[in-house]
Amino acid sequence: MRAVQIKAFGDVEALEIVEAPDPVADAATAVVHIKAASINPSDVKNVQGAMKQTRLPRIPGRDFAGVVEAGPQEWIGAEVWGTGGDGGFTREGTHAERIAVPIASLRRKPDALNFDQAASVGVNFMAAWCALVETAELTAGETLALIGAGGGVGSAAAQIARRIGALVVGVDRRPPHPDAPIRSIANHLIVGAADLPRAVRDATGGRGAEVVFDTVGGVMFRDALNCLAARGRLVEISATGQREVSFDLANFYHNESRLAGVDTLKRDLVASASVLEALAPGFEAGDYRAAPIAEIMPLVEARAAYRKVAEGVRGRIVLRPDM
């Protein structure tokens, strides 16, 4: 089969299109013919050598949608979708014509999504779900302050929060794209605030937010923490600009604040499948929609596709092995 392969860490130009052995099904493993696979920023970081768990050579790629080609009879021909923090790092990934996956990770693709859309859901919605539902336990009527609301994870989080019934205060340093979900979902939208904690408190009647989801981290950490209401929960998924942060510990415990981190890389294909299963009803109901697709490209143009993601393209880049 054709596959993208990392043979040496470095620039995305080092990616190669190779003929790799076809994966084989066994008692615990199914083979999926990949119809579409998207490229995440973490896939680019993987090529650059930022993921220390990766051993070379390796086929990269986390998110995919396709058709089961070999495995249990009841799954043959099924349209499936998937993602995982192991794919492309500790096991062969999705940027290939076929992939071997644990049978336990198989989940049927929602009919509401085509293959390209289903392949564009994984990492963004995984991060948002794990942060808001599993970790912060956001509930109806609570207020979510969403930092980085115009990005991919932010867009997913806004949709999940709306379905839960939470109020959403969207925060971004620049106006979100006109089609960004946060524009229609946010109860308040804060853009480029010089004093973010004050702006959030103004938007919440002085109370602050019960949950702050900071998709930026690092340079935004102190402001994010100071946006919390009493007994509020702050969830971090990134460390943009700086890895080490400081804060007023007395204020932290007097407010009875809680701080948590979420890393989707810790959830393998099987663990991620449970999250996709929980997300599926939202897509079928029309409450969630996949991120906009910037471009669909053939697998053989993987270098150019990765380059677009590395340069910060808005929207998802999808690879189609059959093109």
Side-chain angles (χ1 to χ4, degrees), residues 124-135 157 160 274-275 278-279 288:
N124 286 343
F125 273 86
M126 273 284 300
W129 182 272
C130 292
L132 298 186
V133 178
E134 294 185 359
T135 303
I160 291 170
S274 297
V275 176
L279 286 164
Y288 304 154

Side-chain angles (χ1 to χ4, degrees), residues 187-203:
N187 300 90
H188 300 275
L189 184 58
I190 300 170
V191 178
D195 186 343
L196 179 59
R198 178 180 292 277
V200 170
R201 293 187 187 283
D202 287 347

Side-chain angles (χ1 to χ4, degrees), residues 173-249:
R173 61 186 176 87
R174 60 183 179 181
H177 188 276
D179 294 332
I182 193 65
R183 286 192 172 273
S184 60
I185 292 173
N187 300 90
H188 300 275
L189 184 58
I190 300 170
V191 178
D195 186 343
L196 179 59
R198 178 180 292 277
V200 170
R201 293 187 187 283
D202 287 347
T204 57
R207 188 182 69 255
E210 283 82 11
V211 174
V212 176
F213 182 22
D214 180 11
T215 72
V216 178
V219 295
M220 292 302 299
F221 174 80
R222 185 182 288 270
D223 278 349
L225 188 64
N226 290 333
C227 290
L228 287 177
R231 296 189 175 181
R233 294 92 77 194
L234 169 60
V235 184
E236 296 283 350
I237 63 167
S238 186
T240 305
Q242 61 189 63
R243 293 171 61 96
E244 295 187 7
V245 297
S246 62
F247 58 95
D248 187 316
L249 186 57

Side-chain angles (χ1 to χ4, degrees), residues 133-149:
V133 178
E134 294 185 359
T135 303
E137 298 180 337
L138 180 69
T139 60
E142 289 190 313
T143 296
L144 165 69
L146 181 54
I147 299 175

